[in-house]
Amino acid sequence: MQDSRINYHTARYLISAAKLSQCPADSGAEVAFAGRSNAGKSSAINALTQQSKLARTSKTPGRTQLLNFFSLKQEDCRLVDLPGYGYAKVPVAMKLDWQAHISDYLAERQCLKGLVLVMDIRHPLTEYDQVLIDWCANAQLPLHVLLTKADKLSRGPATQTLNQVRKELSQRLGELGSAQIFSASKKTGVDQLSHRLDTWLLGPLQEEDEQQDA
């Protein structure tokens, strides 16, 4: 496999936004990460960027309430950590407020090239996961599912869950949907994720490059 074209370890914190109007200029290319508060979203971003504290992790899921932007060395490319959702101990009003931020961002952000949806492999396709899948299908936005905490399952059940999620995405998103197994602690799937993001942020490899890879 060819090395990733973006050095994700160059990611640096850029800005946090409480609402769409506070986001950076809507230019260049962005990839956003979304997911249930305890699904391992921050850990996945940290594993991708090889930085243990870039995206804040907490023993209290749901603590991050802002849209956090990280700039990459490549010109005008960014990663975005969206507020987590669905944590039972978070007040309902706060949940609705977070969901409004996510909805506005997804609906209005023109530079958004794809959404990474983080799911705990032991609890995939929750109700709000389904909402985001349907949203991406309606908006024709590419969606890549990270089935995190794969080290918590043996290979057989993990593969079975992956196949189930891929089937669901194929039915609802067609070629716009994809999924993979991921473990932040074991660094499983980091290369596969980085190549997916490369395609979204920089475009697919040129035909001659693909022939060289074959």
Side-chain angles (χ1 to χ4, degrees):
M1 180 180 288
Q2 183 173 333
D3 290 341
S4 176
R5 292 177 290 161
I6 292 180
N7 293 323
Y8 291 97
H9 66 268
T10 66
R12 296 292 182 268
Y13 171 77
L14 179 61
I15 194 173
S16 295
K19 52 188 176 181
L20 187 65
S21 62
Q22 297 173 349
C23 294
D26 194 352
S27 62
E30 289 175 357
V31 170
F33 287 72
R36 191 175 177 86
S37 297
N38 54 352
K41 177 165 55 68
S42 295
S43 295
I45 294 173
N46 289 340
L48 170 70
T49 60
Q50 302 176 43
Q51 300 181 49
S52 61
K53 298 180 180 180
L54 183 68
R56 294 180 182 178
T57 58
S58 171
K59 292 182 179 180
T60 305
R63 196 169 186 176
T64 302
Q65 303 171 30
L66 303 172
L67 291 83
N68 297 305
F69 291 79
F70 306 101
S71 62
L72 296 166
K73 189 174 181 180
Q74 276 72 10
E75 184 176 355
D76 224 1
C77 289
R78 294 172 296 276
L79 304 177
V80 188
D81 185 8
L82 300 181
Y85 57 78
Y87 188 57
K89 294 183 180 179
V90 173
V92 173
M94 189 175 290
K95 285 185 187 178
L96 295 175
D97 190 38
W98 294 356
Q99 292 175 13
H101 294 332
I102 294 173
S103 179
D104 287 347
Y105 173 82
L106 294 176
E108 302 294 336
R109 197 71 171 168
Q110 297 299 309
C111 63
L112 180 63
K113 302 302 181 182
L115 181 69
V116 177
L117 179 53
V118 179
M119 302 180 192
D120 186 327
I121 195 168
R122 300 165 298 178
H123 311 288
L125 300 172
T126 66
E127 181 179 357
Y128 202 72
D129 292 337
Q130 305 272 6
V131 169
L132 280 179
I133 291 171
D134 287 338
W135 192 96
C136 288
N138 291 332
Q140 289 294 284
L141 181 72
L143 173 72
H144 186 62
V145 171
L146 276 192
L147 293 170
T148 59
K149 306 184 183 182
D151 53 289
K152 304 294 185 181
L153 290 182
S154 59
R155 184 172 180 177
T159 301
Q160 184 177 6
T161 301
L162 175 62
N163 290 337
Q164 172 195 353
V165 171
R166 281 177 170 170
K167 181 178 180 181
E168 186 80 12
L169 294 175
S170 178
Q171 292 173 346
R172 296 161 70 175
L173 277 162
E175 294 183 355
L176 290 177
S178 55
Q180 68 166 100
I181 287 173
F182 192 90
S183 169
S185 61
K186 302 293 186 182
K187 303 297 186 290
T188 304
V190 172
D191 287 345
Q192 185 177 351
L193 173 60
S194 65
H195 280 266
R196 173 63 59 181
L197 301 190
D198 282 357
T199 300
W200 287 351
L201 292 169
L202 301 177
L205 290 171
Q206 296 299 318
E207 185 176 353
E208 57 268 22
D209 292 335
E210 292 173 346
Q211 290 174 349
Q212 290 175 7
D213 269 356

